[in-house]
Amino acid sequence: MEWLSAENIVAVGTAVLGVLTSAGVLWYERRVPRRKRIGYRIQLDTPIGRDGHDGRANVRLGWFAEAPGMEDATLVLLRIENDGSQSIDESDYTRRELHGLEAVFAERTIRGVVVSVPRTASHLMGHFTEAAGLRYDGATLCIPRVPLNRGEHYKLLCVLSGGGVGREVRLEGGIKEGDIKPNRSTTPDDKPPLFSRAARVITVLLTVCVVVLAGIIVVRDDSRPPMGCAAGELRVIGSTAFAPVIEELADKYEKDCEAAHPTVTVDTHGSTAGIRALDEAGADAKDGSPPVITLSDGPKPAGYPHLRESRVAVSVFALVLNDDVPLKNLKLTDVRRLYRGEIRNWKQLGGPDLPVRLVSRDANSGTRQVFQRRVLEAGELANTSLDCVNKDTPDAAVVRCELDSTDQVLKTVAKVPGAIGYSELRAATSLKGLHRLNLDGEEPSLDALEHGDRDGYPYREIEYAYTYGQPPADSLASSFLAYMSRGSGQDVIRTHGHLPCATPEGLRICGEDP
């Protein structure tokens, strides 16, 4: 079987290892760290009288030489920390006594204790009082019920006598739904490991798999075209708003399928014009489906029964306003009044004293049709200006002009004071002199559409790809349509600010929207 190739086996093995690792980490994150936990570590255990290891005398001056019973004195620095995933409250300690924990120094006697806390946790110091249970008796140090947030700690420096260094030190007590465990403490000469043993093993295995897979890919024969590539010529027409996506996809397809020598020509003049041209090409074709794909902003009009649709992406559009008008948000009701000619000057909406100039697309534009259907819920006014500045008819309500492409609309809005227009979302961010508008407080955003309220922002539409009937499975048209929905094609679509319909979230939105 073809799929049982060396690179596929290594790739599957790598994927399985990655899945198992991810599942293990998820289990660990959900099960292990959720318990409350206090950890403690001995950071210092050193003689200040005689050396507890071999009995050699140290040099001692002052109190250590004069105080009785301190010949074998030792210093122990005990660090107590919350190293779990949850905060610990005073009520989480389970002892019946006033204090919450006990530090026991086996075979030694406590002579003095100093408490220290980090500057960021200075509030903890108020808990270390005799009234809260801080005291010591013999080898036992009673520690109050100190609340600890995640990662907080405090230190206890204890002066001891009666035994050498290295004797047992343990922390006793209990935590509700948690535990108290010793942690390994590193001395100044120790270097803690960067990765745990499990992490090192997993990293080595994944590295070996990746290196083997890369080696197979390097040495294999790539003279054949990739699976799914097709030869021939293809013309892609229709939406000017989606043209940048198609142009990049065409270039990438020709490079990826270079061995098959495909030619993909992009010639966009508007969605409606593309629909008509495809239907005419199909009617004239002798062998059924011509090598033509039309991209349309929204579904095709009625009356084209032979056109077969594929849902490609969700496109977000935006209203754009000249920077001389500093408004950032418009109500839908005000947008509809603008395009009915009821608002003639921006000062009526709280803006500057500038006449309203509507810069629109021609009747072939899918972007315009989406705007009329999704935002206005009606058609636009008749054209009243050729230069987008002056009225051709003096008694016209407002200046309104029509242009052939998204690029022309954006450039005109950017240079004409008081101008408002609309375009595909990503194109609306590339020019100076204009800014995008929110609608009813909803921001035009692909991220908000994908992860937020899908019903909030109205000016959006599905991008359709149409063919005349079903193109042959081995044709360039079928191959290019499949290429758009795969990984490389999805990446290009996302890069240009659209949500691919082939993604899980895209499938849901593309399936729900009419």
Side-chain angles (χ1 to χ4, degrees):
M1 299 176 67
E2 288 187 4
W3 67 271
L4 284 175
S5 60
E7 60 264 37
N8 285 348
I9 292 174
V10 175
V12 170
T14 304
V16 170
L17 181 60
V19 169
L20 292 178
T21 302
S22 299
V25 170
L26 181 62
W27 177 87
Y28 181 84
E29 289 291 334
R30 287 178 175 265
R31 294 288 183 178
V32 177
R34 297 312 299 173
R35 290 177 59 83
K36 297 178 181 179
R37 171 181 163 125
I38 285 182
Y40 66 96
R41 62 181 76 183
I42 309 303
Q43 294 190 304
L44 178 70
D45 191 352
T46 184
I48 53 177
R50 293 186 176 276
D51 192 318
H53 293 295
D54 55 18
R56 293 179 300 169
N58 295 329
V59 176
R60 295 177 290 124
L61 296 176
W63 182 81
F64 290 111
E66 298 169 0
M70 298 299 290
E71 296 84 2
D72 54 358
T74 54
L75 277 176
V76 173
L77 181 61
L78 176 63
R79 174 185 168 117
I80 299 176
E81 56 201 352
N82 179 355
D83 56 2
S85 62
Q86 300 185 47
S87 297
I88 295 174
D89 192 62
E90 294 181 38
S91 61
D92 289 324
Y93 294 92
T94 60
R95 300 186 69 90
R96 293 187 176 182
E97 295 85 351
L98 178 63
H99 57 276
L101 301 173
E102 290 182 355
V104 180
F105 302 87
E107 302 180 28
R108 288 188 270 190
T109 301
I110 303 172
R111 294 301 188 97
V113 178
V114 176
V115 180
S116 65
V117 298
R119 291 182 180 178
T120 56
S122 58
H123 58 280
L124 298 180
M125 195 60 82
H127 296 276
F128 291 98
T129 63
E130 292 186 19
L134 179 64
R135 62 184 178 84
Y136 62 83
D137 181 16
T140 302
L141 170 62
C142 298
I143 305 170
R145 299 169 178 263
V146 181
L148 292 172
N149 294 324
R150 291 177 55 187
E152 286 186 341
H153 74 274
Y154 57 87
K155 296 182 181 181
L156 304 170
L157 180 63
C158 303
V159 181
L160 307 167
S161 65
V165 300
R167 304 298 173 88
E168 180 188 15
V169 178
R170 63 183 184 274
L171 194 65
E172 298 179 348
I175 299 293
K176 294 177 183 177
E177 299 180 359
D179 48 28
I180 299 173
K181 291 187 177 181
N183 293 331
R184 180 180 180 273
S185 182
T186 58
T187 67
D189 295 329
D190 289 340
K191 184 177 181 181
L194 185 60
F195 299 104
S196 67
R197 178 178 298 178
R200 291 196 297 270
V201 170
I202 292 171
T203 301
V204 169
L205 290 176
L206 288 174
T207 301
V208 169
C209 291
V210 171
V211 170
V212 171
L213 181 59
I216 294 173
I217 292 173
V218 169
V219 301
R220 72 180 179 182
D221 180 14
D222 280 334
S223 59
R224 295 175 299 169
M227 183 180 295
C229 288
E233 296 183 356
L234 175 67
R235 191 161 64 101
V236 183
I237 58 178
S239 169
T240 60
F242 210 67
V245 180
I246 297 301
E247 288 168 356
E248 185 172 344
L249 281 172
D251 289 341
K252 286 182 66 68
Y253 183 88
E254 289 179 350
K255 291 177 182 178
D256 291 345
C257 298
E258 184 178 4
H261 305 293
T263 299
V264 181
T265 303
V266 180
D267 184 21
T268 56
H269 296 285
S271 299
T272 303
I275 293 291
R276 287 199 299 262
L278 174 62
D279 191 63
E280 292 170 2
D284 295 339
K286 297 179 180 179
D287 54 354
S289 182
V292 179
I293 294 175
T294 289
L295 274 298
S296 174
D297 305 329
K300 62 181 174 64
Y304 297 94
H306 299 292
L307 302 193
R308 178 182 177 273
E309 73 177 35
S310 298
R311 300 189 178 196
V312 177
V314 182
S315 296
V316 178
F317 301 86
L319 280 168
V320 290
L321 183 60
N322 182 273
D323 282 343
D324 288 342
V325 183
L327 300 177
K328 303 298 182 182
N329 177 74
L330 285 178
K331 297 179 180 179
L332 277 175
T333 53
D334 289 335
V335 173
R336 291 163 185 164
R337 291 173 62 205
L338 279 167
Y339 280 84
R340 287 197 300 263
E342 297 174 6
I343 297 176
R344 304 185 180 190
N345 193 295
W346 287 108
K347 66 182 180 182
Q348 295 176 249
L349 295 177
D353 185 8
L354 282 174
V356 172
R357 294 182 171 98
L358 306 177
V359 182
S360 299
R361 289 290 307 279
D362 59 83
N364 289 323
S365 167
T367 306
R368 171 178 167 177
Q369 293 171 10
V370 175
F371 180 61
Q372 294 176 157
R373 182 169 61 253
R374 296 279 192 173
V375 179
L376 298 185
E377 296 181 349
E380 292 192 49
L381 295 170
N383 196 20
T384 65
S385 174
L386 293 177
D387 61 6
C388 302
V389 176
N390 302 298
K391 298 178 184 177
D392 296 337
T393 305
D395 60 347
V398 292
V399 168
R400 180 183 176 278
C401 62
E402 295 183 0
L403 300 175
D404 294 334
S405 69
T406 297
D407 185 59
Q408 291 178 5
V409 169
L410 292 173
K411 289 180 179 178
T412 302
V413 172
K415 71 180 182 181
V416 175
I420 184 173
Y422 43 79
S423 82
E424 179 267 328
L425 177 62
R426 188 170 184 266
T429 63
S430 60
L431 281 180
K432 295 181 179 179
L434 55 78
H435 58 275
R436 298 179 304 185
L437 285 170
N438 294 348
L439 294 178
D440 278 341
E442 297 286 346
E443 179 185 2
S445 166
L446 184 67
D447 185 67
L449 173 65
E450 186 174 4
H451 302 292
D453 182 7
R454 296 195 301 275
D455 297 323
Y457 185 76
Y459 195 10
R460 67 159 195 269
E461 188 55 276
I462 296 173
E463 194 72 28
Y464 290 83
Y466 286 100
T467 56
Y468 192 90
Q470 177 68 49
D474 59 349
S475 67
L476 182 52
S478 291
S479 175
F480 190 75
L481 285 172
Y483 185 81
M484 283 195 291
S485 65
R486 290 201 289 257
S488 181
Q490 289 184 17
D491 292 341
V492 173
I493 291 173
R494 274 191 177 280
T495 299
H496 285 268
H498 306 270
L499 177 64
C501 284
T503 62
E505 186 63 24
L507 282 172
R508 183 163 51 181
I509 298 176
C510 292
E512 290 176 355
D513 278 11

